[in-house]
Amino acid sequence: MRIITHTCSACGTVIAANELEDNRVMKCPGLDCEEVLRFTDLPEDARNHFLEYKEQYQI
Amino acid sequence: MKGVLLSGGTGSRLRPITHTGPKQLVPVANKPVIEYAIEDLEAAGITEIGVVLGHKGREEIQELLGDGSKYGVDITYIVQGNPVGLAHAVGCAREFVDDSDFVVYLGDNMLRHGVSDLLESFKTGDYGAGIALQEVSNPEAFGVADVDEQGTVTRLVEKPDDPPSNLALIGMYVFSPTVFDVIDRLEPSWRGELEITDAIQLLLDDGHAIDSHVVTGWWKDTGKPEDILEANRLVLGDKDLKMIGVIEEGAETDGRIELAESAVIEDGAVVRGPVSIAENTTIKSGTYVGPYTSIGANSTLEGIHIENSVVIGGSEITANGRIVDSLLGRNANVESADELLPEGRRLVVGENSQLKL
Ligand SMILES: [Zn+2]
């Protein structure tokens, strides 16, 4: 199963795709980081893959 | 070598304690379980640590660990979100780990001798992974490894009816970055999770050598209340305990006692170690604190007999009775009902609490 993550460019915190997709737009969960992260920060092929197999990433 | 500390999970077996916080922050000998893991990694020379967070208690864990500088390590947070299995948690660490070998440590596990021996053994060969094993009397309840005389793993079986050995996998692994390609190929198991044992089995199937190290000191998964008490007993039995606080004249103390600077054992109290008493806690006259007990910060004990127990902190315990083998959550109070009518016990008990009266 392909695991899709995004790394915040400001603080290095790594966020799994399911978390980004849940929120669509979110403040970076890194400590004292003000960066805004979006599901659309992921490359298009990663987003498409995630949406296609979305049920695998839920529990 | 980097470290990946898995700190997700719901802590359901530790309710009600985990209704208000993550299981990794439950204290053992007055120190959160997860700090033992960070210290073990640091002691093995691993200072770059990725902490994988689930949903539960994410902020509390970040607040405690911070950027890691107070432990002499550098922490990167990895937000897994949905708990889709340990192999998924490990997979989320791919960008953090990059092309380094790395240790995976379960944040609610405690290991007496740390991870250094596992690492040393892994480094002696060209292994795809190294696993920690422990001899158990009930291997059918665990993932079990079959190993040759060099300690190289030949087979893994999950909860076997007919175990090939009594060597159970415990929650401690070393991986080469090859594991990420294997995790990419994993399918969710019957319970919908990516399983770490499936990843190791795939490495084996691909022809990678898997090292093993048999852990001889104690190992504890602190998932249940009785495990917390047992871990507390093991740590207090081993640990170097420092007595800094005040013991008043007329107090009776015996054995090894850890007493924080602002803690007081008053005249007329009896404390028999090994015991740990945290800051701003007072043991008043008429109280007995017996062996293998940890009393958390900001608590007052008066008149009670307590032993082999963990009081997390912020408690007033002033009843006239005996408390044994107990785990008391934060700010839980136990007072006397002696003067109250009608006679009887008065309880305000949260969901999933367990009482034996
Ligand atoms: Zn950030």
Side-chain angles (χ1 to χ4, degrees), chain B residues 273-353:
Chain B
V275 156
S276 171
I277 299 169
E279 56 273 20
N280 295 316
T281 283
T282 305
I283 311 299
K284 289 184 173 282
S285 181
T287 308
Y288 169 77
V289 181
Y292 304 106
T293 301
S294 293
I295 311 288
N298 306 311
S299 300
T300 304
L301 274 63
E302 185 169 17
I304 195 84
H305 284 221
I306 185 167
E307 59 184 77
N308 197 42
S309 294
V310 171
V311 175
I312 292 182
S315 285
E316 301 276 326
I317 305 176
T318 55
N320 238 322
R322 297 171 67 93
I323 294 177
V324 298
D325 305 347
S326 295
L327 175 58
L328 267 75
R330 193 167 298 285
N331 301 326
N333 295 333
V334 183
E335 293 161 12
S336 173
D338 285 355
E339 310 289 312
L340 302 176
L341 289 172
E343 245 179 63
R345 297 188 161 102
R346 286 161 173 76
L347 311 171
V348 180
V349 179
E351 272 175 57
N352 311 102
S353 297

Side-chain angles (χ1 to χ4, degrees), chain A residues 1-7 12-16 18-19 22 26 29-31 56-59, chain B residues 55 58 62 66 76-84 88 91-92 95 183-184 186-187 191 193:
Chain A
M1 172 170 146
R2 179 171 166 191
I3 294 173
I4 302 164
T5 57
H6 175 66
T7 301
T13 295
V14 180
I15 299 103
N18 58 42
E19 192 71 11
D22 266 1
M26 64 190 284
L31 285 168
Q56 281 196 350
Y57 297 92
Q58 319 287 328
I59 193 161
Chain B
H55 283 303
R58 186 190 294 176
Q62 286 177 292
T76 299
Y77 289 102
I78 299 163
V79 178
Q80 181 194 12
N82 283 332
V84 219
H88 179 265
C92 287
E95 284 181 74
I183 291 173
D184 266 352
L186 282 183
E187 291 297 325
R191 55 174 180 170
E193 298 191 7

Side-chain angles (χ1 to χ4, degrees), chain A residues 8 10-13 28 30 33 35:
Chain A
C8 170
C11 74
T13 295
C28 173
C33 183
E35 199 73 4

Side-chain angles (χ1 to χ4, degrees), chain B residues 168-230:
Chain B
L169 272 84
I170 64 175
M172 226 59 67
Y173 314 87
V174 202
F175 288 110
S176 74
T178 318
V179 75
F180 294 117
D181 300 325
V182 163
I183 291 173
D184 266 352
R185 282 156 44 207
L186 282 183
E187 291 297 325
S189 66
W190 60 271
R191 55 174 180 170
E193 298 191 7
L194 294 191
E195 309 287 350
I196 201 97
T197 41
D198 289 348
I200 299 167
Q201 185 61 52
L202 261 186
L203 283 171
L204 263 180
D205 296 347
D206 282 0
H208 294 282
I210 309 291
D211 182 39
S212 73
H213 168 70
V214 179
V215 170
T216 48
W218 54 259
W219 159 69
K220 209 71 217 151
D221 168 1
T222 60
K224 302 195 293 286
E226 55 268 35
D227 298 326
I228 294 287
L229 296 183
E230 167 95 27

